[in-house]
């Protein structure tokens, strides 16, 4: 038999494909694809996980044509400010074209993760009925679907392992009845590993849920909605002692008390769940039940009390057992005293989030610089913090920058506009300046309080790794934004609202916008003419102007600008104008 030596290029591509299989980071893969055409082809063929950071940055058909062997896809839709009702209803981010394209191109697809997308019951049906081996569906901050769609997924996807509904809106039309979707899972033993439905605001068939949990021996993660009582939780935990992640549902007096029966021994059932490392839920909490979780606290690495309105004393009874905690979320009802208790115990803490019970500007907040400084002194391994408060000092923020140099995410939200340091009455410039100077790994920053252009000069000079910057009610002039756009070379996402930045500031970023994922500006000082100039200068960017129906002035209410390989979209509502 005659042997034909392969072409050198073919050998190189075969070797390259094998090498690229070991590249897991999408950023590394993107860089590899830019080397030359053969690397571009090889990278596309070997990519099994696809991340689309903006559903309008590329069309579904373009994505599926280039990447032909994808098994997992993540698609993001609306920008984050949509969470604050700053976008019009029905703005877009429809999953429908993606559902059709994915079902045709990837019949072997296993995982779909969506964030801030509009998803219909019909979309879910397309996926469930077209992809036989589908295994994982995660919907974060999505809307438009209901129990009928969930029933289709549960009934048709026989190999389903993960169904997670996180902060999503599950809708039931007025002319439809709620569907018992829990009963639609296979009657045989299931493959379920994770079931999360804490955001579903309607009751579930508890009998069917109990049977589902019982026939799911691989179930590790279960997060329940508020319609599941604590006594029902007890029954589920008896069926699933193997759980590692648990969201408790309602954590208050159960129906057993109402009829005079003896309550179950909740502490013993928690003690039997020896693998629990993550606890959340605790809706409608009655603090008398908190001792039930003591037996598992020593093993916890994550504790989410962001739905539990408890005070410092109640928290201290729990947190004193949590020496292994790495992630902690809570309401500010725990006060500075509660944060001091966290700092004294949780030396391995990596992520902290403190949310407000009352976000009104005129209220007197229960957490302050005292709690923040305590955390910085006690939790030196901290990497990520989201902290809502009504008052903060530069000294406390400077202390955090020095004590926690490994911070990657720093989001300080001082509720109230133009708040100064309450001790020195100075702007918060020096505090945020210290964060970008001392925290060399920082990639995400949210600023608040009274900031002058000086703070933005610090950010532009020292925030070289910052990829996401959120700004609200800040800055003196266009120079502030100029400093950022000219200095932060890695900036990907820039969110600005209610700040005095106009056309000149916008034009200062012309050199960088093609490298960014998006720019969002609302209630600034932009004009239609200024935005039009940018649109003409950068034709491969999409500039969406979002104005209310009654606004006929030249001023721009919202500018949403993003890069797109396919140009302007064709599904804009009438309040959206795309500039050309």
């Amino acid at each position: 038999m005659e042997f034909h030596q392969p072409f050198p290029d073919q050998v190189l591509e075969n070797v390259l494909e094998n090498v690229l299989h070991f590249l897991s980071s999408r950023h590394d893969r993107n860089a590899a694809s830019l080397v030359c055409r053969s690397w571009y082809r090889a990278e596309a063929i070997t990519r099994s996980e696809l991340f689309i950071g903006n559903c309008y940055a590329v069309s579904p058909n373009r994505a599926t044509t280039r990447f032909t062997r994808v098994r997992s896809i993540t698609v993001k839709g609306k920008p984050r400010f949509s969470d604050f009702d700053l976008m019009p209803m029905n703005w877009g981010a429809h999953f429908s074209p993606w559902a059709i394209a994915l079902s045709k191109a990837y019949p072997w697809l296993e995982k779909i993760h969506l964030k801030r997308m509009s998803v219909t019951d019909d979309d879910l049906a397309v996926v469930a009925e077209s992809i036989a081996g589908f295994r994982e569906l995660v919907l974060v901050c999505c809307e438009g679907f209901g129990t009928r769609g969930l029933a289709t997924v549960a009934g048709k996807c026989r190999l389903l392992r993960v169904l997670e509904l996180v902060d999503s809106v599950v809708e039931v039309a007025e002319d439809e009845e709620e569907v018992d979707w829990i009963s639609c899972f296979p009657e045989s033993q299931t493959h379920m590993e994770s079931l999360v439905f804490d955001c579903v605001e309607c009751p579930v068939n508890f009998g069917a849920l109990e049977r589902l949990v019982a026939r799911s021996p691989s179930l590790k993660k279960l997060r329940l909605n508020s319609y599941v009582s604590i006594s029902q939780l007890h029954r589920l935990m008896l069926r699933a002692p193997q759980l590692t992640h648990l969201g408790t549902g309602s954590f208050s007096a159960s129906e057993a008390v109402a009829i005079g029966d003896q309550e179950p021994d909740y502490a013993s059932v928690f003690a039997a769940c020896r693998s629990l490392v993550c606890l959340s839920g605790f809706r409608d909490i009655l603090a008398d039940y908190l001792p039930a979780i003591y037996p598992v606290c020593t093993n916890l690495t994550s504790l989410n009390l962001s739905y539990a309105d408890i005070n410092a004393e109640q928290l201290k009874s729990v947190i004193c057992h949590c020496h292994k905690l790495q992630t902690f979320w809570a309401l500010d009802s725990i006060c500075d005293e509660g944060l001091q208790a966290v700092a004294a115990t949780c030396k391995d803490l990596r992520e902290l989030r403190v949310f407000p019970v009352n976000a009104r500007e005129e209220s007197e907040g229960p957490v302050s610089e005292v709690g923040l400084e305590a955390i910085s002194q006690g939790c030196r391994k901290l990497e990520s913090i989201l902290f809502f408060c009504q008052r903060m000092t530069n000294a406390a923020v400077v202390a955090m920058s020095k004590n926690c140099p490994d911070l990657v995410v720093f989001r300080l939200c001082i509720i109230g506009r133009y708040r100064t340091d309450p001790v020195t009455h100075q702007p918060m410039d020096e505090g945020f300046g210290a964060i970008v100077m001392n925290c060399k790994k920082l990639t995400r920053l949210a600023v608040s309080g009274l900031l002058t252009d000086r703070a933005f000069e610090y950010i532009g000079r020292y925030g070289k790794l910052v990829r996401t910057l959120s700004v609200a009610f800040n800055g003196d002039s266009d120079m502030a934004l100029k400093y950022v756009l000219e200095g932060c070379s890695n900036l990907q996402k820039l969110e600005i609202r209610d700040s005095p930045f106009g056309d000149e500031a916008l034009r200062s970023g012309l050199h960088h916008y093609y490298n960014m994922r998006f720019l969002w500006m609302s209630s600034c000082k932009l004009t239609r003419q200024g935005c039009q100039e940018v649109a003409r200068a950068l034709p491969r960017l999409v500039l969406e102007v979002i104005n209310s129906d009654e606004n006929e002035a030249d001023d721009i209410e919202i500018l949403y600008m993003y890069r797109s390989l396919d140009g302007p979209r064709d599904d804009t509502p009438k309040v959206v104008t795309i500039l050309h």
Side-chain angles (χ1 to χ4, degrees):
M1 179 182 294
E2 186 178 356
F3 175 74
H4 295 283
Q5 185 172 357
F7 294 111
D9 285 352
Q10 182 183 341
V11 173
L12 177 60
E13 289 202 20
N14 290 340
V15 172
L16 184 59
E17 286 182 26
N18 288 321
V19 172
L20 288 175
H21 278 297
F22 295 97
L23 273 187
S24 56
S25 166
R26 67 175 184 269
H27 301 295
D28 291 341
R29 281 186 159 273
N30 289 342
S33 71
L34 298 176
V35 174
C36 61
R37 288 185 178 180
S38 62
W39 284 55
Y40 179 89
R41 289 193 300 266
E43 193 282 316
I45 291 172
T46 57
R47 190 179 294 215
S48 61
E49 297 183 359
L50 185 58
F51 176 86
I52 307 295
N54 176 357
C55 64
Y56 290 121
V58 61
S59 69
N61 289 333
R62 180 190 286 264
T64 55
T65 299
R66 178 182 171 190
F67 302 102
T68 57
R69 300 180 183 178
V70 169
R71 292 189 174 274
S72 172
I73 184 167
T74 298
V75 184
K76 293 188 175 182
K78 300 175 185 178
R80 192 181 66 90
F81 273 171
S82 64
D83 295 345
F84 304 96
D85 297 324
L86 292 177
M87 295 195 76
M89 293 288 291
N90 303 315
W91 171 81
H94 302 293
F95 179 57
S96 297
W98 286 94
I100 294 170
L102 296 178
S103 64
K104 291 179 179 178
Y106 306 139
W108 53 79
L109 191 67
E110 296 179 359
K111 303 177 182 179
I112 295 178
H113 292 204
L114 305 177
K115 188 170 186 180
R116 298 191 183 96
M117 296 284 287
S118 177
V119 183
T120 68
D121 289 338
D122 290 339
D123 296 337
L124 297 180
V126 167
V127 171
E129 294 169 0
S130 305
I131 305 176
F134 190 67
R135 301 185 179 193
E136 186 169 318
L137 179 64
V138 178
L139 304 178
V140 180
C141 300
C142 293
E143 59 187 5
F145 64 97
T147 52
R148 180 169 63 87
L150 298 179
T152 305
V153 172
K156 298 284 186 179
C157 302
R158 312 297 286 184
L159 300 179
L160 196 66
R161 295 182 306 196
V162 174
L163 177 58
E164 296 186 2
L165 313 171
V166 182
D167 295 329
S168 293
V169 179
V170 180
E171 301 172 343
V172 179
E174 294 182 1
D175 57 343
E176 293 183 359
E177 293 185 0
E178 292 176 7
V179 178
D180 180 9
W181 60 280
I182 292 287
S183 296
C184 295
F185 284 92
E187 288 298 329
S188 58
Q189 182 171 301
T190 78
H191 301 271
M192 290 301 295
E193 298 173 6
S194 177
L195 179 61
V196 172
F197 62 95
D198 51 342
C199 64
V200 178
E201 296 186 357
C202 59
V204 295
N205 181 335
F206 178 74
L209 176 61
E210 187 175 19
R211 291 190 296 273
L212 173 62
V213 170
R215 65 180 187 275
S216 303
S218 300
L219 191 67
K220 298 294 184 183
K221 187 175 183 179
L222 178 64
R223 282 167 50 182
L224 309 163
N225 68 1
S226 59
Y227 291 91
V228 178
S229 69
I230 191 171
S231 62
Q232 290 173 329
L233 171 69
H234 179 270
R235 289 167 59 178
L236 295 175
M237 293 177 70
L238 287 174
R239 299 280 194 177
Q242 77 279 4
L243 288 174
T244 59
H245 295 63
L246 175 65
T248 65
S250 178
F251 211 69
S252 58
S254 64
E255 67 276 5
V257 176
I259 61 177
D261 293 341
Q262 183 175 356
E263 285 218 71
D265 186 350
Y266 300 121
S268 65
V269 77
F270 272 98
C273 292
R274 302 179 186 276
S275 300
L276 269 182
V277 294
C278 179
L279 265 181
S280 61
F282 303 102
R283 297 166 187 265
D284 308 316
I285 190 169
L286 182 62
D288 292 347
Y289 289 96
L290 277 175
I293 70 171
Y294 292 172
V296 298
C297 285
T298 53
N299 289 327
L300 290 182
T301 59
S302 177
L303 179 61
N304 182 348
L305 297 175
S306 60
Y307 289 99
D309 191 357
I310 59 174
N311 59 36
E313 290 302 316
Q314 293 160 347
L315 173 67
K316 285 194 285 187
S317 69
V318 172
I319 211 70
C320 64
H321 305 287
C322 301
H323 295 279
K324 296 182 180 179
L325 211 61
Q326 295 186 15
T327 300
F328 180 60
W329 295 13
L331 294 174
D332 61 7
S333 59
I334 64 172
C335 302
D336 287 330
E337 186 180 351
L339 291 173
Q340 290 169 330
V342 172
T345 304
C346 308
K347 300 301 180 182
D348 206 29
L349 196 69
R350 309 299 170 90
E351 179 182 346
L352 173 68
R353 297 191 184 189
V354 180
F355 300 95
V357 173
N358 185 351
R360 291 182 307 190
E361 295 183 16
E362 66 275 9
S363 63
E364 190 68 31
V367 297
S368 67
E369 71 276 3
V370 174
L372 187 79
E373 193 156 3
I375 290 292
S376 75
Q377 292 172 354
C379 308
R380 307 255 174 156
K381 297 179 181 179
L382 201 66
E383 297 174 357
S384 175
I385 183 167
L386 170 61
F387 197 88
F388 283 85
C389 59
Q390 260 89 5
R391 56 170 280 156
M392 182 56 57
T393 63
N394 280 302
V397 180
V398 171
M400 171 149 282
S401 76
K402 294 178 179 178
N403 294 332
C404 303
D406 291 332
L407 277 173
V408 176
V409 175
F410 185 77
R411 299 161 68 190
L412 177 61
C413 303
I414 304 173
I415 301 171
R417 306 177 188 188
Y418 317 115
R419 295 271 174 102
T420 60
D421 182 320
V423 176
T424 65
H425 304 293
Q426 295 297 308
M428 294 297 298
D429 297 344
E430 299 307 315
F432 284 102
I435 289 291
V436 292
M437 278 189 265
N438 298 327
C439 302
K440 305 298 186 183
K441 302 176 184 178
L442 195 72
T443 63
R444 184 171 185 181
L445 176 65
V447 297
S448 56
L450 178 64
L451 296 182
T452 71
D453 290 350
R454 183 179 179 84
F456 293 91
E457 184 179 5
Y458 287 138
I459 295 170
R461 183 182 302 173
Y462 300 105
K464 298 305 181 183
L465 294 184
V466 172
R467 294 173 59 86
T468 303
L469 176 63
S470 302
V471 178
F473 304 102
N474 293 137
D476 292 328
S477 69
D478 285 346
M479 280 305 301
L481 192 52
K482 281 186 176 182
Y483 289 134
V484 170
L485 290 169
E486 293 174 0
C488 298
S489 56
N490 282 292
L491 194 64
Q492 287 282 301
K493 295 183 281 188
L494 179 55
E495 308 168 331
I496 305 170
R497 59 169 296 195
D498 296 278
S499 297
F501 307 142
D503 295 342
E504 185 179 350
L506 182 66
R507 285 192 291 268
S508 69
L510 286 173
H511 67 288
H512 186 59
Y513 290 142
Y514 276 144
N515 298 322
M516 291 176 59
R517 189 185 300 174
F518 72 79
L519 167 68
W520 169 283
M521 296 180 71
S522 62
S523 301
C524 294
K525 294 185 176 181
L526 301 176
T527 68
R528 185 173 294 270
Q529 180 181 349
C531 294
Q532 192 78 61
E533 291 175 7
V534 173
R536 285 194 290 265
L538 302 172
R540 288 186 290 122
L541 282 182
V542 176
L543 278 76
E544 294 193 8
V545 171
I546 307 172
N547 278 357
S548 57
D549 292 334
E550 60 272 10
N551 186 350
E552 298 180 357
D554 186 47
D555 295 337
I556 301 297
E557 293 181 16
I558 296 174
L559 172 68
Y560 180 42
M561 180 168 64
Y562 54 89
R563 62 191 182 200
S564 174
L565 295 175
D566 291 279
R569 60 192 177 109
D570 58 6
D571 63 350
T572 54
K574 64 179 182 178
V575 296
V576 174
T577 302
I578 296 181
L579 301 180
H580 299 281

